[in-house]
Amino acid sequence: DAGVTQSPTHLIKTRGQQVTLRCSPKSGHDTVSWYQQALGQGPQFIFQYYEEEERQRGNFPDRFSGHQFPNYSSELNVNALLLGDSALYLCASSSYLSTDTQYFGPGTRLTVL
Amino acid sequence: AQRVTQPEKLLSVFKGAPVELKCNYSYSGSPELFWYVQYSRQRLQLLLRHISRESIKGFTADLNKGETSFHLKKPFAQEEDSAMYYCALQSYNTDKLIFGTGTRLQVFP
């Protein structure tokens, strides 16, 4: 099991563009959470998906949206990119009915120019 | 508001010295507290959680509800402990993790 995987590893976009980031959860996990980690900061919760629905959301604007597929993988979409969206985007997976912790992926580094 | 504070950005010690990484939280209720670690070029991973009450790699952390603290301690630091450490809070009945800004631990030989 490769654990949580994310693609792409790095991405460069310009202001105003749209981006899609992808995440495959750890085998056996059905819940995916997304976090944004700006330089020098801890990860900040964006939202969580379970059963293909957004279950919880952090303090992020509607430009941030997501999707979960039947195979539990997930996408994070960001529209109208701003310079301030430059960050490491982390995906974490877990099992909804388990008290086990979240497992994190390696992240996607997004740079907005 | 729920918040996690790690007052030290950097902590430098010599091998064999004791280590204490500070973490304070604000939460009205009974949170679950975690310490995550990120070694160089590796992903964020769980080090320990307070409900487990276990020692991982020689690290322990005690939840002090009176002082709203969850400091991470190790009596004798090793060079391989050098990493970024994040304290995190999980509120009751949710999976949402609230992280501190992290403390970089440098252990010199």
Side-chain angles (χ1 to χ4, degrees), chain A residues 43-86:
Chain A
Q44 285 195 53
F45 178 79
I46 302 175
F47 43 52
Q48 182 185 79
Y49 277 84
Y50 170 67
E51 290 188 329
E52 303 179 47
E53 289 187 10
E54 183 182 293
R55 297 287 173 164
Q56 300 176 64
R57 190 178 182 92
N59 190 25
F60 279 80
D62 292 344
R63 297 186 298 109
F64 290 77
S65 64
H67 188 76
Q68 186 179 34
F69 299 94
N71 67 352
Y72 309 122
S73 66
S74 176
E75 289 182 347
L76 164 65
N77 300 293
V78 187
N79 293 323
L81 284 167
L82 304 174
L83 296 179
D85 295 331
S86 294

Side-chain angles (χ1 to χ4, degrees), chain B residues 16-78:
Chain B
V19 169
E20 182 179 52
L21 300 171
K22 291 183 167 50
C23 172
N24 288 89
Y25 67 91
S26 68
Y27 179 74
S28 55
S30 296
E32 185 167 356
L33 275 298
F34 302 81
W35 276 98
Y36 280 83
V37 61
Q38 187 167 30
Y39 300 102
S40 179
R41 299 203 172 122
Q42 293 188 28
R43 63 186 67 190
L44 197 61
Q45 57 186 284
L46 178 69
L47 180 62
L48 54 81
R49 58 198 299 184
H50 89 271
I51 61 171
S52 300
R53 298 185 182 275
E54 56 187 348
S55 172
I56 304 294
K57 299 184 178 183
F59 284 98
T60 59
D62 291 318
L63 178 60
N64 185 323
K65 292 185 178 180
E67 295 182 358
T68 60
S69 68
F70 188 57
H71 303 327
L72 183 69
K73 300 177 184 179
K74 185 169 183 176
F76 307 104
Q78 303 298 316

